[in-house]
Amino acid sequence: MIKIAMCQLLIEGGEPIRNFNRAKEFIIEASKKKANLIIFPECSDFGWTHPSYKKAKTIPGKYSFYFQELAKKNKIDICIGLTEKLNNNFFNSAIYINKKGLILSHYRKINLLNEEANAYYEPGSKLEVFDSEFAKIGISICADNYSKSSIISHLLSRMGADIIISPSSWTVNADNNDQNPYNQKWSSTMKEVTAIYNNTFIAVTSIGYIVGGPVEGRKMIGCSLAYKNGKQLIELNNNEVSSELKIINITVNKNKIKKCGTELSNNISINI
Amino acid sequence: MSKNKICPICISDYTFPNFIIKKNICNYCIIYNEINKLFPISQKNKKEALIIKKRNKNSKYDVIVGISGGRDSTYLMYYAKKILKLRVLAIHFNDGFSNPVAGENMSRVTKTLKVDFKIYTSDWKLSKDIKISFLKACVPDIETGTDIGIASALYAACYNYNVKDILIGQSFRTEGISPLLWNFLDGKYVETIQKKFGNVDFPDFNPSKICFNLTPIKIAYYALIKGIKVHHPFYYIKYNKPEISKFIIKKLKWKPLGAHYYDDLYQPLMFDWYKRKFNIDRRKFNYSALIRDKQLSRNDALKKIKKNYIKNNEELLNLSLKRLGISRVFYEKLINNKIKNTFMNFKTSYDILRKIKFLIKFLCRINIIPPITYYKYFKL
């Protein structure tokens, strides 16, 4: 049994220190509650597509060190989305840090939205799964899970991921007060993939108002999701003003892939 | 007027508009005494709650309570639900400057009290542009757009949920009355400033949505056609701020925000703007109210006024500027230019309101509009 803390963090655009201070409190809380892993949203430093992204650090670098120290100190694995600077390029990245403070995986988002691809980030160039202490894990980020981009999660699953973790920043219009705000935009891939591969898919999104950049004025309202074996495990609260931490218990399926080889492709409904 | 003039009872002074001392009492204390007699501590809230229940018997909720995550609105929610036994819908207006700690308070307390909670989110581009327009207009009351936005969100919620009563967590006893020239609330004023200095247009009026140009005609629609009333329960109860804080910390796990009004991250910028551009310290009318209500000694108030208002003021001021997308240099130019306007320099509803001031007095008395409006608009 793995205890995973889903932290849909309130992210203030352009305010990495304030965002990190909040994240730190949740890391401590999750650790006290004996969670093995805590997951944070996409771009937990500057906020997704905030114009201040050029202040991003390298990975490894100042910001990843901050979380590496916290992981070590609090004896908890951390997966967090960070903006990454590499020479003159920027990436929408996520890292997985183990409880010893080592970065086990570093992923760069591939399916960038037009808004971010045109002016902000470069696409990533690799997919990987890796062994954490308790499961084989793959990372995808937010729009990587669009139904037309679900090939990414299919590939991670075929590469053996027991758990797919997806730091995200799902947004809606400011006047969206729907009970079902995303209308299966995110859940369809999670449901489909976990049904085929009998694995777990956890997407943690952010909270707050987007106060700059190409999608300025949209809001992030949580409703983070976890799926297992094609069924929804949990949906966190719809909220736009405060963070939420929820701990879920996951059992990793053994022999999870029932089929193998090209037979699996028959179940993939993606249309590229 | 002498720059040494300060009321011997409160700490109102020469910086207040139309400030006069006669027979060792200032005109602000005199107005307070008048209002205090009009709204004595009483059991009125419980009687009013019965009427409110009847008026809303066919709706899911009895009242709309505006909340910010600060002390006053948090206690109001508790008071409405637990003491008055009303079915409460809590409404928060989000314009992108909510303090995250206040956000946590709202989520936690509504959950604890089992109160339904809805957020009305402003059009960020418009609300941001209105804030910038007010800075460019060089008037003191740069938060008018937000204040009108809050009022309109509460009216819109009433319209959407078919509720006829709004509770507001303010009291003249503990907050005082800000002089009209420092804080003029009028949708027409917002409209004029935005048309002159802004770049984003207002949407057409839709009573179910936030409206920043909430003119008296539009308020009349909500108040007279829809029959929505505004109540101030704190006018009728003893409200001791430190005791209330202790109570809600213990009972509701409320977290203090660090300073009064600090539910809004824009406050440090406002404080700086008032202080440096207009030599206005808004704490003076807050502390004066607490002195009159015997919650603060005059000596302590004079000591407090010399201290900083909010920790990390500079950091939060810069946060606001960054969020508005304006530079510090631009802001300092506005602070240091010689233009010092008030609402009187712009087209507003004030002239019309003056012509119907006795109607306003009547509407105040029957809670159609906030009861101290008449005093604020026509007596100070």
Side-chain angles (χ1 to χ4, degrees):
Chain A
M1 183 84 79
I2 313 160
K3 288 180 94 168
I4 299 180
M6 298 169 69
C7 182
Q8 50 181 40
L9 186 71
L10 174 80
I11 294 177
E12 294 176 284
E15 303 294 338
I17 305 304
R18 287 168 64 84
N19 297 330
F20 289 172
N21 286 340
R22 259 191 300 281
K24 181 182 173 182
E25 286 181 25
F26 287 111
I27 290 168
I28 294 167
E29 185 183 338
S31 171
K32 280 182 185 164
K33 291 179 176 169
K34 310 284 181 204
N36 304 98
L37 162 67
I38 183 166
I39 305 169
F40 289 105
E42 177 182 16
C43 298
S44 289
D45 43 11
F46 296 94
W48 179 61
T49 64
H50 191 272
S52 61
Y53 73 102
K54 288 193 173 174
K55 292 178 184 168
K57 309 296 178 197
T58 56
I59 296 178
K62 186 178 173 185
Y63 291 164
S64 71
F65 294 152
Y66 177 82
F67 287 99
Q68 287 171 264
E69 278 302 309
L70 283 172
K72 203 159 65 175
K73 192 173 173 189
N74 293 283
K75 297 184 178 57
I76 187 170
D77 289 15
I78 297 172
C79 183
I80 186 163
L82 293 173
T83 317
E84 178 190 0
K85 184 179 183 193
L86 179 65
N87 302 321
N88 290 321
N89 291 326
F90 296 87
F91 297 91
N92 182 340
S93 299
I95 51 174
Y96 188 102
I97 305 163
N98 72 4
K99 66 182 181 189
K100 292 177 184 163
L102 301 172
I103 296 176
L104 296 188
S105 183
H106 171 188
Y107 170 71
R108 293 167 177 159
K109 184 175 177 181
I110 293 170
N111 191 42
L112 298 167
L113 297 190
N114 289 341
E115 291 92 334
E116 49 183 339
N118 291 339
Y120 283 76
Y121 318 117
E122 299 295 318
S125 56
K126 72 165 187 183
L127 278 178
E128 69 172 7
V129 295
F130 58 95
D131 289 306
S132 74
E133 188 182 316
F134 37 76
K136 198 175 276 293
I137 290 175
I139 299 175
S140 61
I141 297 177
C142 197
D144 282 337
N145 305 316
Y146 272 179
S147 58
K148 286 191 175 178
S149 181
S150 66
I151 191 167
I152 289 173
S153 299
H154 281 282
L155 289 173
L156 290 172
S157 299
R158 293 185 69 169
M159 291 158 76
D162 302 313
I163 303 172
I164 297 172
I165 297 173
S166 183
S168 301
S169 264
W170 301 338
T171 68
V172 295
N173 287 332
D175 60 356
N176 183 321
N177 291 312
D178 295 349
Q179 291 293 320
N180 182 12
Y182 307 124
N183 196 23
Q184 296 171 21
K185 182 177 182 181
W186 305 107
S187 61
S188 62
T189 296
M190 298 175 78
K191 188 175 178 179
E192 178 185 276
V193 168
T194 57
I196 296 170
Y197 304 99
N198 287 348
N199 55 1
T200 302
F201 201 141
I202 304 172
V204 175
T205 185
S206 41
I207 299 286
Y209 216 149
I210 296 186
V211 294
V215 292
E216 181 180 18
R218 286 173 71 82
K219 60 182 182 182
M220 305 171 288
I221 56 166
C223 303
S224 300
L225 289 169
Y227 270 78
K228 187 180 179 188
N229 301 352
K231 289 185 180 149
Q232 186 181 303
L233 292 177
I234 194 163
E235 178 176 342
L236 269 56
N237 287 322
N238 182 332
N239 191 324
E240 64 185 78
V241 292
S242 65
S243 311
E244 181 182 354
L245 181 80
K246 188 82 186 174
I247 296 180
I248 57 172
N249 295 315
I250 300 290
T251 312
V252 175
N253 291 343
K254 299 291 174 194
N255 306 317
K256 58 193 180 304
I257 301 177
K258 291 172 186 167
K259 302 164 191 169
C260 60
T262 52
E263 190 187 352
L264 280 166
S265 306
N266 298 333
N267 292 313
I268 301 175
S269 61
I270 51 173
N271 174 20
I272 301 172
Chain B
M1 186 175 294
S2 164
K3 293 206 166 185
N4 297 320
K5 285 281 184 190
I6 178 166
C7 175
I9 295 170
C10 66
I11 58 167
S12 303
D13 64 12
Y14 69 94
T15 59
F16 285 45
N18 308 319
F19 179 75
I20 304 165
I21 298 177
K22 272 186 191 169
K23 294 180 184 172
N24 285 327
I25 185 168
C26 76
N27 50 336
Y28 286 82
C29 282
I30 289 170
I31 292 289
Y32 165 83
N33 291 340
E34 270 185 49
I35 303 173
N36 198 29
K37 276 182 200 160
L38 277 175
F39 303 100
I41 306 295
S42 70
Q43 295 296 310
K44 187 171 176 177
N45 288 335
K46 288 187 178 166
K47 290 177 195 160
E48 201 71 27
L50 294 175
I51 298 167
I52 288 172
K53 278 180 190 170
K54 270 189 194 167
R55 276 164 53 79
N56 295 283
K57 66 182 178 194
N58 295 325
S59 303
K60 188 179 174 187
Y61 305 104
D62 294 318
V63 280
I64 299 292
V65 174
I67 63 166
S68 65
R71 173 192 44 225
D72 300 343
S73 63
T74 299
Y75 181 72
L76 178 67
M77 198 166 31
Y78 171 85
Y79 183 78
K81 167 101 185 185
K82 296 290 184 187
I83 309 292
L84 300 180
K85 312 283 184 201
L86 295 169
R87 296 170 301 158
V88 173
L89 174 61
I91 296 292
H92 173 64
F93 170 75
N94 183 11
D95 72 345
F97 281 90
S98 296
N99 181 337
V101 180
E104 287 170 22
N105 281 336
M106 287 188 277
S107 299
R108 190 184 311 110
V109 173
T110 49
K111 197 175 167 190
T112 305
L113 288 173
K114 296 192 174 94
V115 164
D116 285 354
F117 174 35
K118 304 279 178 195
I119 296 171
Y120 279 65
T121 313
S122 70
D123 172 342
W124 164 253
K125 286 182 185 168
L126 176 59
S127 61
K128 178 177 90 165
D129 203 46
I130 290 171
K131 276 187 159 64
I132 297 169
S133 297
F134 269 80
L135 290 171
K136 287 179 181 169
C138 292
V139 291
D141 34 15
I142 52 174
E143 190 71 332
T144 302
T146 298
D147 290 340
I148 296 285
I150 292 168
S152 102
L154 299 178
Y155 278 127
C158 282
Y159 180 91
N160 291 331
Y161 294 94
N162 192 29
V163 178
K164 293 189 181 305
D165 294 275
I166 296 170
L167 302 189
I168 304 285
Q170 287 174 331
S171 172
F172 65 92
R173 280 196 189 84
T174 51
E175 296 196 37
I177 305 168
S178 66
L180 193 64
L181 286 171
W182 294 359
N183 180 224
F184 181 66
L185 292 181
D186 172 30
K188 184 71 192 170
Y189 180 31
V190 178
E191 192 174 274
T192 304
I193 297 279
Q194 180 62 6
K195 278 186 181 164
K196 185 160 183 182
F197 299 99
N199 299 308
V200 182
D201 293 333
F202 293 102
D204 291 337
F205 177 60
N206 176 339
S208 68
K209 295 195 170 171
I210 291 164
C211 169
F212 287 103
N213 50 343
L214 187 72
T215 54
I217 293 285
K218 291 167 189 164
I219 292 176
Y221 168 77
Y222 289 116
L224 303 176
I225 308 289
K226 302 302 289 181
I228 297 165
K229 287 187 171 189
V230 180
H231 308 267
H232 290 70
F234 292 171
Y235 282 19
Y236 306 103
I237 60 171
K238 278 273 179 201
Y239 190 84
N240 182 292
K241 291 193 174 206
E243 282 175 15
I244 294 291
S245 292
K246 272 187 208 163
F247 176 78
I248 57 174
I249 287 169
K250 193 175 170 192
K251 187 95 181 169
L252 304 171
K253 296 190 171 60
W254 177 78
K255 278 190 190 167
L257 304 175
H260 192 202
Y261 301 132
Y262 189 28
D263 41 26
D264 177 8
L265 293 178
Y266 201 56
Q267 289 291 328
L269 185 148
M270 286 169 61
F271 186 78
D272 184 68
W273 179 262
Y274 271 103
K275 188 81 184 142
R276 285 171 58 214
K277 186 163 180 71
F278 293 95
N279 191 28
I280 293 170
D281 189 334
R282 295 186 312 151
R283 292 175 299 176
K284 286 180 183 172
F285 66 80
N286 289 148
Y287 293 163
S288 291
L290 294 174
I291 293 167
R292 294 181 199 116
D293 202 45
K294 299 186 174 35
Q295 294 192 35
L296 182 66
S297 77
R298 189 169 179 277
N299 279 344
D300 286 348
L302 288 169
K303 277 181 205 161
K304 276 167 80 97
I305 216 84
K306 286 178 186 156
K307 290 182 185 165
N308 281 340
Y309 175 46
I310 291 173
K311 282 182 192 167
N312 309 323
N313 215 28
E314 191 65 16
E315 178 198 324
L316 291 171
L317 195 157
N318 286 330
L319 176 148
S320 287
L321 293 175
K322 201 169 13 167
R323 211 164 276 193
L324 291 179
I326 60 177
S327 69
R328 185 71 191 236
V329 173
F330 177 71
Y331 175 72
E332 291 298 332
K333 271 187 189 168
L334 291 174
I335 288 268
N336 294 319
N337 72 22
K338 295 222 163 59
I339 307 165
K340 289 183 174 56
N341 286 322
T342 70
F343 76 89
M344 301 292 266
N345 299 94
F346 299 96
K347 191 176 176 188
T348 69
S349 306
Y350 190 56
D351 286 341
I352 296 169
L353 296 175
R354 279 175 60 181
K355 284 176 189 159
I356 56 165
K357 71 177 185 180
F358 291 106
L359 174 64
I360 288 175
K361 190 175 185 180
F362 172 70
L363 294 174
C364 286
R365 289 301 291 156
I366 59 169
N367 288 334
I368 295 290
I369 51 180
I372 61 166
T373 306
Y374 175 76
Y375 287 89
K376 175 168 168 162
Y377 279 54
F378 307 115
K379 289 276 194 170
L380 284 176

